[in-house]
Amino acid sequence: MQELCRLENIRKYYDLGEKIYPVDGISYSINRGDFICIQGPSGVGKSTLMYAIGSLLKIAEGEIYYMGEPISRKTDDELTEIRGNFIGYIFQEANLIKALTLEENLKFISTINRKKFGEEERARLESLLERLGLSDYRNHLPQELSGGQKRRAMIAGALIRNPELILADEPTNDLDDHWSMEVMKIFKELSEEGKAVVFVTHNEKWAKCAKEILELEGGKLIQAHITQDA
Ligand SMILES: Nc1ncnc2c1ncn2[C@@H]1O[C@H](COP(=O)(O)OP(=O)(O)OP(=O)(O)O)[C@@H](O)[C@H]1O
Ligand SMILES: [Mg+2]
């Protein structure tokens, strides 16, 4: 199936005395091969939309489909299991476990829901550590990593389970040009392998790496332009 995720008229509000709708009737299909950048000013609702796509918050209206199946019909346990295997999240805030080293953090994520840690998982871990310049820091605790190393560790964590859909909220935060470019290369390769990547950035240079740029405005997604550089 080409379509990994479909948003059907989704709405999400926060009640701050009056209701604000950062996501106000969005319909969109995310397909295999997609490499999408979402842009928009601070506070417009990009992180809210990313959480909604990842079913990490409850939407008020509409439906989200993963592989053609509506998630509203799933139990919380089923949804947790689907999320764990299907989606890789890179959050805006750091989410490494403080008491575990970098390698232990990755192994932990890899084995959530009793997933085994076999040859394939070991090879993926090694390849991610290598690719993201983290091999020498595998035994470091999160607080012993620099900001950029921590960000790269979070990216490794999002990819360690080989997810189909990668949701990355400002993945290049704390990264210099070299590592930002490397992360964009990894995303491009993943999309070319038939996965889908959706990321948020404020940086024009990294936005242009995407195949498609969407602007979040007034709770709606607007096609910004198709880029040439991808
Ligand atoms: N849990 C919450 N409760 C109430 N309001 C919230 C909550 N989370 C976000 N908001 C509000 O919703 C709006 C959208 O927030 P969101 O974090 O999605 O913006 P963003 O586009 O990701 O911004 P940034 O670029 O600064 O990360 C903001 O006005 C914010 O204050
Ligand atoms: Mg945000």
Side-chain angles (χ1 to χ4, degrees):
M1 182 185 231
Q2 189 66 12
E3 182 186 270
L4 289 176
C5 172
R6 179 152 54 94
L7 314 175
E8 200 175 79
N9 208 18
I10 64 166
R11 296 184 90 198
K12 168 72 192 172
Y13 65 81
Y14 295 118
D15 201 343
L16 308 164
E18 74 183 277
K19 286 180 181 168
I20 59 159
Y21 281 86
V23 175
D24 194 10
I26 292 182
S27 297
Y28 201 81
S29 284
I30 301 167
N31 298 319
R32 291 191 182 282
D34 278 354
F35 185 15
I36 299 166
C37 172
I38 296 176
Q39 289 199 297
S42 182
V44 79
K46 302 179 300 297
S47 294
T48 302
L49 175 60
M50 294 293 267
Y51 279 116
I53 297 172
S55 68
L56 291 167
L57 50 73
K58 280 224 171 340
I59 50 173
E61 289 171 42
E63 182 64 275
I64 296 172
Y65 300 80
Y66 292 154
M67 305 289 284
E69 295 202 31
I71 64 169
S72 65
R73 301 222 192 112
K74 306 280 177 202
T75 65
D76 283 353
D77 283 351
E78 284 170 339
L79 203 49
T80 304
E81 172 120 18
I82 294 168
R83 273 198 301 256
N85 294 320
F86 183 64
I87 304 178
Y89 303 90
I90 300 157
F91 296 99
Q92 211 169 349
E93 305 83 19
N95 61 340
L96 299 163
I97 299 171
K98 292 191 174 65
L100 301 182
T101 66
L102 166 52
E103 181 167 351
E104 288 164 349
N105 261 283
L106 295 178
K107 277 191 190 162
F108 173 77
I109 300 167
S110 188
T111 53
I112 291 173
N113 294 343
R114 298 176 302 282
K115 201 166 179 274
K116 71 173 171 57
F117 192 80
E119 281 303 306
E120 191 187 326
E121 288 72 22
R122 161 64 57 195
R124 192 170 308 115
L125 183 141
E126 290 305 328
S127 132
L128 283 167
L129 286 177
E130 175 71 33
R131 185 86 194 262
L132 289 161
L134 295 168
S135 298
D136 292 346
Y137 306 98
R138 62 172 74 225
N139 297 321
H140 285 225
L141 293 168
Q143 69 264 28
E144 296 165 345
L145 298 171
S146 73
Q149 289 162 350
K150 233 178 277 177
R151 180 73 47 186
R152 282 179 270 141
M154 288 161 63
I155 294 169
L159 302 180
I160 191 82
R161 291 173 75 97
N162 200 23
E164 300 298 327
L165 173 61
I166 293 106
L167 302 175
D169 200 348
E170 314 223 16
T172 59
N173 275 2
D174 312 309
L175 296 185
D176 61 18
D177 270 18
H178 167 79
W179 285 113
S180 298
M181 183 50 93
E182 193 58 31
V183 168
M184 288 299 141
K185 270 194 209 148
I186 293 173
F187 285 173
K188 183 162 187 255
E189 287 168 21
L190 288 167
S191 68
E192 286 167 357
E193 283 168 22
K195 305 190 183 293
V197 179
V198 182
F199 73 103
V200 168
T201 186
H202 284 285
N203 183 306
E204 277 305 318
K205 184 168 164 190
W206 309 127
K208 288 205 177 93
C209 294
K211 267 199 263 177
E212 202 167 348
I213 301 180
L214 303 172
E215 179 89 18
L216 183 60
E217 201 181 295
K220 304 264 197 284
L221 273 183
I222 297 158
Q223 198 95 21
H225 50 270
I226 306 289
T227 59
Q228 305 299 317
D229 309 19

